[in-house]
């Protein structure tokens, strides 16, 4: 069994190493054992390696917020999955070739899923979905504006919003991605800038926008807020700038804006295990039909974790970087 181990926090490609580890053993009652087929390298994982993520466990530690695996054994009392099933794991420490987890953390997903896509099912698709359903009571025809629209979550927001009849204004740093976003179903694409609110009003014909999604933070948060209707909701779910979100006193006090944040675990915790499984079953079916799809840049062996980490921090990539511990995904 191999897993990625951090003995210190720091530059990811310098501190993460592939190590041999004992086999996880047979499952106890209420546990599931599965082989990890693939895992993506996410921005949160990079922050984890650097030691500046919200979770900073004692060392040595193993990163990994998500993965897809195939069940090899189940303990007594486990009935919702069986050997051979594909699962995603709600627990962490997934940069490994094998996992043993509590049964409730192993969520079954449809057989036949593209394994690369399945590796990216746990976090980004439900994040996009729940931001469209849980923050504001959106109706068909309503508008949503988002920055970082070319990100994995941003692309999913476009796709899922289109399916619900919700219109999107999509803000990016550059315009060469506009054709791809329009092909996904984007209604309007604009580059960010100080006059964003004026250009949004012109492009939408002065439409009222009740919800803004912000993954950039810093002054970008205020630019999105300026595009919303009075008493609209601005939600920050990431910080590409590394800065705190900035919202003016005028927006909060005089315009009555609601400023909130989104973290998937917090919103999932409001739901029962059955409801969580239902969400993933639905998203899995959409993925199976090709309605949900994320580009993949490259796939690495677990032994090549250094090269994979360098690649994921390199600009100009065309999608996610994945690692396949068993070589099942090429």
């Amino acid at each position: 069994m191999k897993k990625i181990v951090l003995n210190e926090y720091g530059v990811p490609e310098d501190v993460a190493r592939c190590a041999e580890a004992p086999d996880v053993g047979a499952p106890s009652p209420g546990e599931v054992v599965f082989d990890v087929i693939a895992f993506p390298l996410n921005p949160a994982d990079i922050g984890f390696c650097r030691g500046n993520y919200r979770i900073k466990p004692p060392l040595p530690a193993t990163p990994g917020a998500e993965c897809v695996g195939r069940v090899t054994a189940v303990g007594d009392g486990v009935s919702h999955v069986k050997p051979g099933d594909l699962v995603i794991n709600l627990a962490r420490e997934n940069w490994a070739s094998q996992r043993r987890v509590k049964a409730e953390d192993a969520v079954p997903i449809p057989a036949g899923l593209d394994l690369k896509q399945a590796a990216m099912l746990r976090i980004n698709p439900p994040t996009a979905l729940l931001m469209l359903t849980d923050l504001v009571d959106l109706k068909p025809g309503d508008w949503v504006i988002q920055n970082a629209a070319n990100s994995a979550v941003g692309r999913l927001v476009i796709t899922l919003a289109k399916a619900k009849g919700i219109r999107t204004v999509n803000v990016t740093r550059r315009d060469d991605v506009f054709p791809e976003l329009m092909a996904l179903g984007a209604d309007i694409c604009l580059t960010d800038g100080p006059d964003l609110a004026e250009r949004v009003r012109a492009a939408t014909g002065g439409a009222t926008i009740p919800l803004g999604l912000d993954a950039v933070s810093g002054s970008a948060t205020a630019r999105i807020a300026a595009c919303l209707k009075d008493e609209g909701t601005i939600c920050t779910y990431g910080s590409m700038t590394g800065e705190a979100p900035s919202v003016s006193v005028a927006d909060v006090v005089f315009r009555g804006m609601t400023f909130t944040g989104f973290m998937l675990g917090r919103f999932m915790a409001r739901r029962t295990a059955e409801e969580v499984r239902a969400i993933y079953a639905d998203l899995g079916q959409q993925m199976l039909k090709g309605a949900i799809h994320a580009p993949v840049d490259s796939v690495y062996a677990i032994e090549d974790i250094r090269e994979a980490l360098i690649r994921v921090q390199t600009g100009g990539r065309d999608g996610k970087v994945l690692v396949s511990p068993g070589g099942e995904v090429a």
Side-chain angles (χ1 to χ4, degrees), residues 1 8 10-11 39-40 50 65 73 78 81 100 124 143 240 245 248 252 261 277 281-282 295-296 318 328:
M1 209 274 281
E8 60 181 319
V11 177
F39 57 80
R50 293 185 179 278
V78 178
V81 293
R100 186 178 71 178
N124 289 339
W143 285 93
M240 292 177 64
S248 72
V252 175
R277 290 172 193 164
D282 175 62
V296 174
D318 184 23
E328 188 171 348

Side-chain angles (χ1 to χ4, degrees), residues 26-327:
S28 298
E31 290 185 336
V32 172
V33 172
F34 63 87
D35 289 336
V36 175
I37 298 171
F39 57 80
L41 308 188
N42 292 319
D45 298 320
I46 300 304
F48 182 98
C49 292
R50 293 185 179 278
N52 54 25
Y53 188 57
R54 65 180 183 85
I55 298 173
K56 191 175 181 180
L59 297 169
T62 295
E66 63 181 332
C67 71
V68 62
R70 196 180 309 279
V71 176
T72 57
V74 300
D76 291 343
V78 178
S79 59
H80 71 288
V81 293
K82 64 184 183 303
D85 286 350
L86 287 179
V87 292
I88 56 174
N89 181 23
L90 301 184
R92 292 182 174 270
E93 301 182 23
N94 292 309
W95 287 11
S97 59
Q98 192 180 56
R99 298 285 282 117
R100 186 178 71 178
V101 301
K102 294 184 295 184
E104 58 264 33
D105 287 332
V107 176
I109 58 176
L113 277 182
D114 179 283
L115 297 176
K116 294 178 186 176
Q117 295 300 309
M120 301 179 284
L121 177 60
R122 178 191 181 282
I123 295 176
N124 289 339
T127 293
L129 175 67
L130 298 188
M131 288 196 299
L132 290 171
T133 60
D134 285 24
L135 298 172
V136 172
D137 184 18
L138 296 170
K139 302 291 194 300
D142 283 347
W143 285 93
V144 171
I145 184 170
Q146 63 167 342
N147 57 27
N150 190 44
S151 66
V153 171
R155 287 168 172 260
L156 286 161
V157 166
I158 293 170
T159 301
L160 295 173
K162 187 74 172 180
K164 294 177 178 292
I166 297 166
R167 295 177 287 183
T168 57
V169 179
N170 301 280
V171 181
T172 63
R173 291 176 295 177
R174 59 185 206 272
D175 59 11
D176 63 311
V177 298
F178 288 0
E180 293 179 47
L181 302 186
M182 297 298 287
L184 291 174
D187 294 283
I188 294 171
C189 294
L190 299 169
T191 54
D192 205 351
D195 61 342
L196 179 64
E198 289 78 8
R199 288 184 286 123
V200 168
R201 280 192 288 271
T204 62
T208 57
I209 304 177
L211 176 63
L213 305 177
D214 165 45
V216 180
S217 203
S219 60
T221 312
R223 291 194 293 274
I224 292 293
C227 300
L228 302 182
K229 70 174 186 177
D230 288 358
E231 299 187 351
T233 296
I234 176 76
C235 175
T236 293
Y237 68 96
S239 178
M240 292 177 64
T241 61
E243 300 172 1
S246 172
V247 180
S248 72
V249 172
D251 280 335
V252 175
V253 176
F254 302 127
R255 296 184 60 213
M257 305 294 293
T258 296
F259 175 70
T260 189
F262 182 93
M263 186 180 75
L264 180 62
R266 185 161 53 86
F267 280 69
M268 283 296 201
R270 302 172 181 176
R271 292 165 162 85
T272 65
E274 291 73 19
E275 289 170 334
V276 170
R277 290 172 193 164
I279 287 172
Y280 283 115
D282 175 62
L283 291 171
Q285 287 297 328
Q286 294 188 57
M287 184 175 280
L288 194 62
K289 296 173 184 175
I292 292 176
H293 184 273
V296 174
D297 175 82
S298 49
V299 181
Y300 288 81
I302 194 169
E303 295 87 353
D304 298 326
I305 189 64
R306 176 179 172 81
E307 290 75 13
L309 285 165
I310 291 172
R311 180 61 185 167
V312 79
Q313 297 172 87
T314 301
R317 287 181 294 103
D318 184 23
K320 283 282 189 180
V321 174
L322 305 181
V323 171
S324 179

